[in-house]
Amino acid sequence: MNQIKKLLAVVLWVCTYTLQAQELVVYPAPPNASESLGNKDFIVKVRKPGGAWQDLYVYNVKVDEMRGTIHNVQNASLCSFDFSGTVEVAVTHNRGRIETARIRPLSFNIPYAVSGHTLYFKLDKPRNLSVEINGDLFHNLHLFANPPEDFKVDKNDPDLIYFGPGIHQLPGGRLKIPSGKTVYVAGGAVLMGQLLVSHARDVKIMGRGIVDFSIKEGVKIAFSKNVLVEGLCFTQCPTGGSDSVIIRNVKSISYYGWGDGLNVFASNNVLFDGVFCRNSDDCTTVYATRKDYTGGCKNIRMQHSILWADVAHPILIGTHGNSPAPEVIEDLKYSDIDILDHNELQVDYQGCMSINTGDNNLVRNVLFQDIRVENFRRGQLVNLRVFYNKKYCTAPGRNIEGITFRNITYNGSGSELSVIAGYDSTRQIRNIIFENLVINGVKITDTMKGKPGWYKTSDMARFFVGEHVANIQFK
């Protein structure tokens, strides 16, 4: 009898574990949603293997297409769900037959099958994806397959501010969140107004909902400490004058001018983990003194993330500061990142990985590691400059020191000549290491085969290394 009880216990455990391992959560359309909230370009379904298909609500999201110097706002699609284990996804393209398809980032290597107007594929782990049909970047599907949420909603918790499914008009267009509060925005909820964390501490903003994409700076963190933002979709989330901030698994999509995604101003100890940015200006920046925020920056991290710059830089560091009282931006790390696009006509504002120091800033100890850059439309792979940009700065920057690029790959033809250049003999770039830089399958090293002895190694990478640059190595 004891053996039978043990066997039944094992069977029950296996069944429970299997159910947990195959969790799938979909979110309904917001009640009373207007027709303009949705997009009918795609029908998207998901299921556990062999199970019944479940429909996903497809939101409309605006993106910025640059045609020469002209901005053209386009309507793309967005939907999301949560899962563990394995799921099957079916994406039906209502705009016509599927001739070609891509699921990006390409590094995920997700196989798929096509039948007529429908694309089929499987996922065995959470992914943030762009599904592109017939080469169309601007009417694509942004598909966000999230992990299951750990947070348990207790509506009786006095420190919980809860927004359930539906459209919510925030009074005055803004909710200022007090210290110690948790804001939960459920899947199927859309907030019409900004979530503001200002002069507060110990604040959490969580959920699977959306801050409407018409709201600039949909989430804003100012002069605050110990803040977590997780899981939401919105336009922008600037962090200024703050400390100990975690921004995880958020999706930032913007379409208007000055549409930077995730700015950091004069803040320390900021972590971006698993974020997706598609922006109409810089995806992520780190500046010193800027706007109302004063001071340098230290210990900024971005990891396991995806960046797509329809305009400007995927990553930009160092432009703004306090010229009369020089500041330091230091100890930055960007790792395990896929850069899907970079498109900038202005040569002064190019660079997938860009450090441009102005306003007497010193930038030091920056690591770019395990960065995969896909074929972008126009720009530079790297741009390191100590410069005096009179449009935005009141003085040139100081040095750029101790920068490491490790395991960087680029495959494409859209890159123009990268630039590494100091300003003068006292404002230099020095101690720059490229370790395992691979461009279109060719590893660029100081000892690479085929490099004439009178060439600089940077010539083989199509990098211009100007004056006032000391100790640059390609390993």
Side-chain angles (χ1 to χ4, degrees), residues 159-178:
D159 289 326
L160 177 68
I161 302 171
Y162 176 78
F163 294 96
I167 311 297
H168 301 270
Q169 299 285 344
L170 299 184
R174 174 180 294 165
L175 171 63
K176 185 176 180 181
I177 305 167

Side-chain angles (χ1 to χ4, degrees), residues 145-304:
N146 300 291
E149 293 187 274
D150 294 329
F151 182 73
K152 303 300 181 184
V153 174
D154 178 3
K155 296 181 183 179
N156 296 318
D157 183 351
D159 289 326
L160 177 68
I161 302 171
Y162 176 78
F163 294 96
I167 311 297
H168 301 270
Q169 299 285 344
L170 299 184
R174 174 180 294 165
L175 171 63
K176 185 176 180 181
I177 305 167
S179 293
K181 297 294 185 180
T182 295
V183 174
Y184 184 83
V185 185
V190 178
L191 302 189
M192 307 301 296
Q194 181 190 68
L195 295 176
L196 172 63
V197 185
S198 180
H199 296 89
R201 60 185 301 137
D202 304 319
V203 170
K204 296 179 181 179
I205 301 173
M206 307 174 69
R208 293 291 185 260
I210 291 173
V211 179
D212 191 76
F213 294 105
S214 66
I215 308 299
K216 296 182 179 181
E217 297 187 348
V219 178
K220 182 177 180 179
I221 303 167
F223 307 109
S224 295
K225 188 171 184 178
N226 295 334
V227 178
L228 169 67
V229 182
E230 184 169 4
L232 274 65
C233 300
F234 45 65
T235 52
Q236 303 166 278
C237 181
T239 298
S242 297
D243 197 332
S244 301
V245 175
I246 298 175
I247 299 176
R248 177 175 290 128
N249 190 30
V250 304
K251 298 87 178 177
S252 166
I253 302 178
S254 57
Y255 61 92
Y256 41 78
W258 313 107
D260 288 7
L262 304 175
N263 294 121
V264 177
F265 308 114
S267 295
N268 299 318
N269 305 309
V270 180
L271 170 64
F272 300 100
D273 184 16
V275 303
F276 179 101
C277 292
R278 181 178 186 177
N279 299 110
S280 52
D281 209 315
D282 306 313
C283 292
T284 184
T285 69
V286 180
Y287 300 141
T289 289
R290 176 71 166 157
K291 299 184 177 180
D292 296 327
Y293 314 110
T294 59
C297 290
K298 186 172 184 176
N299 190 30
I300 312 299
R301 303 284 188 267
M302 176 174 280
Q303 62 189 22
H304 316 314

Side-chain angles (χ1 to χ4, degrees), residues 8 48 104 126 218 281 302 304 319 348 355 405 408 444-445:
L8 289 174
K48 300 175 186 179
R104 299 201 295 156
D281 209 315
M302 176 174 280
H304 316 314
T319 304
D348 273 351
I355 304 177
F405 297 83
I408 310 297
I444 310 298
T445 74

